[in-house]
Amino acid sequence: MPHDPLQAAADLLRDARSVCVITGAGVSAESKIPTFRDAMEGLWAKFDPQTLATPEAFAADPAMVSEWYDFRRGKCAQAEPNPGHLALVEIERRLADAGRSFTLLTQNVDGLHRRAGSTRVVELHGRIDIWRCTKTGLEYPDLPLPLPEYPMPSEAGGLLRPGVVWFGEALPEDALEQAHAAAESCDLFMSVGTSAVVYPAAGFLHLARAHGSKSIEINRDPTDATGLVDIALQGRSGEILPALVELAFASRG
Ligand code: OAD
């Protein structure tokens, strides 16, 4: 590990030709959205997200699963992007201005990267603000918050389910293709705010490294990725990402 890891990371970011970032719930934690593996507080503290985020749970109790997701949809709608989200927008802008490529892969379904202003976002696990008909696959954004009833019947006689990827479900084909292309072609891969335990999302770091990219992790706690990356910065993404942008691009004004 370099003697000044933050400066070394900033040097990599400044010189990178093509950057691919993957984010997880840790980036949104500073927008007060609970992560998956930290204890859920309040109304849902007794439920384990990993048991509710499944097709089986929805089939068994569509009303309860719909209400849980609608509760979280409301939390996400109330949340605001934090300095970590905004720093990623700045990185995208700086690279675009320099004619370099940037792709932001996210496991988060809260939409905060888009609301912060990121445009090159690949939402690997879908979007919590969209409901989808179980019969036709038709998507319904902008439904009233909260929904008038749980579960919501669809016009086609099915039910409306959350537009997110559940455990055991395949990721959207186009998102996977974009993620593979970005991970294979980047010369710098950054893993930010994720425990790096859920595949295929956690595999993109390995794919990037296999193609010779440098890698940086920014995370509050050590993860399975920590021992693999070139530079591991431990701490809060809302602090480290802005500091990294400042060091990497400040001299360019
Ligand atoms: P996790 O809850 O597994 O991990 C969040 C990571 O963020 C942890 O490693 C924390 O140490 C770190 N963290 C927490 N606060 C932070 C902060 N302020 N700054 C930096 N890091 C912080 O969430 P994910 O890795 O996103 O999938 O989980 C991946 C997937 O597992 C989710 O997308 C979801 C879940 O099952 C599906 O639902 C399909």
Side-chain angles (χ1 to χ4, degrees):
M1 182 69 77
H3 74 283
D4 180 351
L6 187 66
Q7 182 60 59
D11 294 345
L12 285 182
L13 179 57
R14 188 190 52 244
D15 299 340
R17 313 297 305 166
S18 170
V19 175
C20 183
V21 179
I22 188 164
T23 62
V27 168
S28 293
E30 293 178 53
S31 296
K32 308 270 179 294
I33 296 179
T35 66
F36 278 84
R37 290 167 180 84
D38 288 339
M40 288 286 271
E41 74 273 359
L43 175 63
W44 300 94
K46 59 184 178 299
F47 289 93
D48 172 0
Q50 300 181 70
T51 57
L52 288 178
T54 64
E56 295 75 20
F58 183 74
D61 190 344
M64 189 262 286
V65 174
S66 300
E67 186 173 1
W68 183 64
Y69 271 93
D70 210 30
F71 166 75
R72 285 180 56 223
R73 179 170 69 114
K75 277 261 190 190
C76 294
Q78 288 159 11
E80 288 300 325
N82 65 61
H85 293 107
L86 298 174
L88 288 167
V89 176
E90 180 64 12
I91 292 173
E92 175 180 333
R93 189 179 71 76
R94 293 279 184 162
L95 289 169
D97 288 353
R100 301 176 183 180
S101 93
F102 176 85
T103 303
L104 174 53
L105 313 178
T106 188
Q107 301 170 88
N108 300 337
V109 297
D110 55 40
L112 286 180
H113 284 303
R114 279 184 287 104
R115 283 176 48 200
S118 291
T119 61
R120 303 272 306 132
V121 189
V122 179
E123 292 172 303
L124 297 170
H125 292 167
R127 292 174 49 168
I128 203 163
D129 63 331
I130 288 180
W131 294 84
R132 193 169 67 234
C133 172
T134 53
K135 270 187 104 167
T136 62
L138 205 57
E139 295 192 338
Y140 296 80
D142 308 327
L143 289 183
L145 244 180
L147 290 175
E149 61 178 302
Y150 301 118
M152 273 286 280
S154 73
E155 292 148 346
L159 294 177
L160 292 186
R161 58 156 284 177
V164 302
V165 175
W166 278 329
F167 282 108
E169 291 186 322
L171 273 61
E173 247 332 288
D174 59 324
L176 272 177
E177 278 163 26
Q178 291 176 66
H180 270 98
E184 285 170 348
S185 58
C186 70
D187 59 354
L188 176 60
F189 189 91
M190 297 172 60
S191 178
V192 186
T194 177
S195 57
V197 293
V198 173
Y199 286 77
F204 294 118
L205 166 65
H206 306 278
L207 186 61
R209 292 182 64 245
H211 284 79
S213 83
K214 292 287 188 188
S215 53
I216 297 169
E217 180 186 47
I218 297 171
N219 205 62
R220 184 192 64 192
D221 306 309
T223 72
D224 294 353
T226 307
L228 300 172
V229 295
D230 295 288
I231 301 171
L233 303 171
Q234 193 164 346
R236 292 173 45 217
S237 51
E239 282 171 8
I240 294 176
L241 281 168
L244 193 61
V245 168
E246 183 61 31
L247 273 178
F249 302 115
S251 55
R252 296 190 174 162

